[in-house]
Amino acid sequence: AEPLRVSLEDIHNIETKGKWWLVGASWKDNMVGTESKYSTDKMPDDLKKDQSMQEALLKLARKQGMNTDIRRTIFITIMSAEDYLDAFEKLFKLGLNEVQQREICRVVLQCIGNEKTFNPYYMLVSKRLCEVDHSFKVTFQYCLWDFLRECGEGDVGGLERSSNEKFVESKDVRLSKIVNTAKFYAALIADGALSLLILKSVNFLNIQKNGRIFLETLFVNTLLQLQTEGAQAVANIFGKAREMRTLSQGIVFFLVETVVQCKHSGIEEEEKKKVQWGCRIAQEVLNGK
């Protein structure tokens, strides 16, 4: 992992901006209910000319729960883009600093969770971000851990969580949000933008209902996507988890106990066979055969 870049200026600004390098620590420059200095001047150029579109998207941003200026700006940038490459370019033209860039991941996941069905657009934007900057991979990992805790997996994150983090567990996570988020991470894992190591803090032996649905959906969709590329693709992706024995054993257990049954996936028998095929290959790889 790349080292965090904590500068002297960051140290001096703890009182005003908080310890941003601690996972879960509040960034005081842009907390809920405060106005930010990073708002209108960072709006995409084409939107500055189209006031009605800007106002409509701003209204939608608030409706979608984008509760800070920086999040609203990111949301509007993503939603007003012509395609995922256009979105990627416009996001970088916003000139966000490293701390602000993390909000892109949170906005993306919020959008995914708010959609009725999975929209691959957000995944394509995220994949491009992960390809150009490793820090996005790290942020998506922490966002995943946040989401799993929201699903009831309170131990996820362990010592890597901030000691002053306040996280409210919600047992009423919408099924569509669980499924969409799982499909998002599955696609990034299958494409190699993220690795299965992001699951390193998950206790597969003791998973709650929402967490079980999420992880089953994630593995099922990862395997279905990899299946089109053949056995070697499955071996390559799952082989990365072998470097962590506890993780690899946990995945094998979960594949055998849960994933092969495809209980929550709602897939056809033909696809179920493909998943079971993938599970067998993944097991062999993780067991070192």
Side-chain angles (χ1 to χ4, degrees), residues 13-178:
N13 290 336
I14 286 175
E15 285 301 312
T16 55
K17 294 190 176 182
K19 299 177 182 177
W20 63 261
W21 55 92
L22 291 180
V23 181
S26 298
W27 176 45
K28 296 182 180 179
D29 196 38
N30 207 11
M31 292 175 70
V32 179
T34 63
E35 288 304 310
S36 167
K37 57 179 177 287
Y38 309 102
S39 51
T40 53
D41 62 319
K42 289 185 180 287
M43 198 66 67
D45 291 336
D46 49 354
L47 269 184
K48 288 178 183 176
K49 300 168 188 172
D50 191 341
Q51 194 67 30
S52 60
M53 174 66 82
Q54 183 179 327
E55 288 174 3
L57 283 170
L58 197 56
K59 186 176 180 181
L60 180 61
R62 290 195 174 98
K63 187 179 178 182
Q64 293 286 318
M66 303 301 158
N67 51 19
T68 62
D69 280 340
I70 201 72
R71 288 192 181 189
R72 285 190 283 270
T73 299
I74 292 167
F75 175 83
I76 290 169
T77 302
I78 292 172
M79 300 307 286
S80 63
E82 293 179 14
D83 56 27
Y84 77 95
L85 289 173
D86 185 44
F88 167 76
E89 290 174 8
K90 285 178 177 175
L91 285 169
F92 268 83
K93 284 180 181 177
L94 292 177
L96 305 178
N97 63 36
E98 191 173 353
V99 183
Q100 295 164 337
Q101 283 182 356
R102 295 175 195 175
E103 292 297 291
I104 296 175
C105 303
R106 296 184 179 98
V107 169
V108 163
L109 284 164
Q110 200 163 335
C111 289
I112 288 164
N114 287 337
E115 295 271 6
K116 291 181 180 177
T117 57
F118 175 64
N119 185 342
Y121 170 68
Y122 304 112
M123 182 277 296
L124 292 168
V125 174
S126 302
K127 181 187 174 187
R128 192 76 188 94
L129 292 168
C130 289
E131 286 171 349
V132 299
D133 192 335
H134 177 80
S135 65
F136 285 106
K137 295 186 179 187
V138 176
T139 304
F140 276 123
Q141 172 182 282
Y142 287 133
C143 286
L144 170 63
W145 294 357
D146 285 343
F147 182 71
L148 285 171
R149 288 195 292 275
E150 186 182 341
C151 288
E153 304 306 316
D155 293 334
V156 170
L159 296 174
E160 293 190 52
R161 291 162 60 184
S162 168
S163 59
N164 64 354
E165 178 184 357
K166 294 179 181 177
F167 193 85
V168 180
E169 178 188 319
S170 171
K171 294 181 180 177
D172 299 322
V173 185
R174 292 190 319 279
L175 181 60
S176 60
K177 183 177 182 180
I178 294 172

Side-chain angles (χ1 to χ4, degrees), residues 127-267:
K127 181 187 174 187
R128 192 76 188 94
L129 292 168
C130 289
E131 286 171 349
V132 299
D133 192 335
H134 177 80
S135 65
F136 285 106
K137 295 186 179 187
V138 176
T139 304
F140 276 123
Q141 172 182 282
Y142 287 133
C143 286
L144 170 63
W145 294 357
D146 285 343
F147 182 71
L148 285 171
R149 288 195 292 275
E150 186 182 341
C151 288
E153 304 306 316
D155 293 334
V156 170
L159 296 174
E160 293 190 52
R161 291 162 60 184
S162 168
S163 59
N164 64 354
E165 178 184 357
K166 294 179 181 177
F167 193 85
V168 180
E169 178 188 319
S170 171
K171 294 181 180 177
D172 299 322
V173 185
R174 292 190 319 279
L175 181 60
S176 60
K177 183 177 182 180
I178 294 172
V179 172
N180 289 350
T181 306
K183 287 182 176 180
F184 169 79
Y185 277 101
L188 289 180
I189 290 169
D191 279 336
L194 295 175
S195 84
L196 287 171
L197 295 178
I198 62 173
L199 300 174
K200 63 185 179 182
S201 66
V202 175
N203 179 4
F204 287 95
L205 301 179
N206 184 26
I207 302 286
Q208 305 303 310
K209 182 183 176 182
N210 284 341
R212 186 173 297 277
I213 294 171
F214 173 85
L215 289 166
E216 180 190 318
T217 306
L218 182 146
F219 282 117
V220 164
N221 282 274
T222 299
L223 289 168
L224 283 175
Q225 186 171 330
L226 292 172
Q227 181 271 334
T228 61
E229 301 170 40
Q232 190 57 52
V234 177
N236 290 343
I237 294 300
F238 280 83
K240 293 173 185 175
R242 285 179 61 181
E243 60 188 77
M244 299 189 72
R245 183 169 172 77
T246 305
L247 172 62
S248 61
Q249 289 178 334
I251 292 175
V252 168
F253 173 81
F254 194 77
L255 291 177
V256 173
E257 293 293 317
T258 302
V259 180
V260 290
Q261 300 173 35
C262 301
K263 187 178 177 182
H264 301 100
S265 304
I267 58 176

